[in-house]
Amino acid sequence: MNRRWRLRDETGAQSFFRRLDRVFSLAAAFWLLAASLHALPVDRAISQYAHRTWRIEEGLPNSVVRGITQTSDGSIWIGTYDGLARFNGDSFELFNKT
């Protein structure tokens, strides 16, 4: 780094963290740009998309969802306060604490 561009009181560690901050800022900007590329098409109305809600009546162990993921076989795993549920597209299989 050129000496005339360095701040007077800046140490080597401060310079390192300044560069690290720039790298993280650029990575965050790239991530936001990449995420926007996967957005829904703007020429479709929201009513053209289907959605389903799952509640305790449909088989969830609790109505508060703490985590959700999908495995390679297509199952959706939903973590709640009262246990874990696997959704196969038709029904829930519960994995409770007991």
Side-chain angles (χ1 to χ4, degrees), residues 28-71:
F30 177 75
W31 181 78
L32 288 172
L33 176 65
S36 68
L37 296 176
H38 296 288
L40 296 175
V42 294
D43 61 337
R44 292 188 182 168
I46 195 72
S47 61
Q48 290 179 291
Y49 294 96
H51 75 278
R52 290 176 62 182
T53 46
W54 300 309
R55 301 172 300 219
I56 294 172
E57 294 83 15
E58 282 82 25
L60 276 178
N62 191 300
S63 62
V64 178
V65 174
R66 301 283 297 161
I68 186 167
T69 190
Q70 185 173 15
T71 55

